[in-house]
Amino acid sequence: MNSFANDETHGRTEAAEDYRADRMFLGAAIEALGLPRTAADRVRFEGPDSLPSAFAVTAFASAAIGAAALAVSELVAAVADAPPVVVDRRLASLWFRMSIEPVGWTLPSPWDPIAGDYPAGDGWIRLHTNAPRHRAAALHVLNCAAERSIVAEAVKRWSAEALETAVVEVGGCAAAMRTVAEEPANPYADGQYSNGPVWVQDLAAGLGLPALAPSLLSGGP
């Protein structure tokens, strides 16, 4: 479960880098997945930050991939020695940024024409309208046509937080733009933090499939 890149990032290990954010995200994912905390000792991160952001997005990407690989490692441990996990942070960042490279064609824009940041009556808000149901929800609340200039005029008549609340309550996706100091007071963010970084659903039960045998998890016969 080792992943390496043959470039300048190869060989840059935790001895030379600060991976506290990666470890923090990994620990939260491990707890949410119900894996033993000691399993984190088998994960090693390598390489520098690769995704440009004011936030630790490279650390999040690396920890997410590390947690997924660690879960597989735990399954292997049921029948053999658990393999270590080495996460190349550059490769993890590349996978989070884009997973395909077009050959002979061009990727369409990932953004819906009316998605983006808008000035509201008292601040700014971002409307996420890439998914059809999110687009429909925003237009329903704003009660306007799907043209960017018309949407912009409609948004100006709202306060950012009131519009955020209205769109979210009808199943849409919108976020008033807050400072780092203001964000902890955001009720939607607070709800996401309290739910943890991983949502686990028992698909076997919903599909009428047998549950995973306890002996597989415990390493028994």
Side-chain angles (χ1 to χ4, degrees):
M1 297 193 179
N2 295 2
S3 176
F4 296 102
N6 294 320
D7 60 11
E8 67 276 7
T9 67
H10 181 72
R12 298 182 65 178
T13 66
E14 292 195 53
E17 300 284 346
D18 183 355
Y19 298 118
R20 285 178 294 180
D22 306 61
R23 290 284 167 190
M24 179 190 70
F25 289 131
L26 178 65
I30 286 175
E31 182 178 358
L33 290 169
L35 299 176
R37 292 185 179 182
T38 55
D41 297 337
R42 298 204 309 277
V43 181
R44 188 171 82 246
F45 296 101
E46 294 187 349
D49 283 359
S50 296
L51 293 173
S53 175
F55 301 98
V57 289
T58 291
F60 183 82
S62 301
I65 290 177
L70 188 59
V72 176
S73 175
E74 284 293 296
L75 285 177
V76 174
V79 294
D81 292 337
V85 174
V86 180
V87 180
D88 185 316
R89 300 172 84 241
R90 173 180 172 275
L91 293 181
S93 300
L94 290 173
W95 274 104
F96 263 61
R97 189 167 192 171
M98 183 175 295
S99 58
I100 61 173
E101 182 175 349
V103 176
W105 59 285
T106 302
L107 278 171
S109 172
W111 291 101
D112 178 76
I114 64 171
D117 303 336
Y118 291 88
D122 59 353
W124 286 76
I125 187 170
R126 171 165 292 188
L127 298 180
H128 294 263
T129 59
N130 294 341
R133 64 188 181 92
H134 291 164
R135 174 187 173 96
L139 294 175
H140 170 75
V141 170
L142 292 170
N143 191 28
C144 69
E147 295 183 22
R148 193 170 185 88
S149 60
I150 297 176
V151 170
E153 288 300 318
V155 170
K156 289 178 182 178
R157 297 193 287 269
W158 287 78
S159 75
E161 289 195 9
L163 181 55
E164 173 191 64
T165 299
V167 171
V168 171
E169 285 183 347
V170 296
C173 186
M177 302 179 74
R178 300 173 173 86
T179 65
V180 173
E182 294 169 341
E183 183 59 23
N186 178 2
Y188 301 108
D190 183 63
Q192 292 300 315
Y193 299 150
S194 63
N195 290 335
V198 180
W199 178 46
V200 180
Q201 182 180 12
D202 186 352
L203 295 178
L207 297 173
L209 301 174
L212 189 63
S215 60
L216 179 59
L217 294 176
S218 62

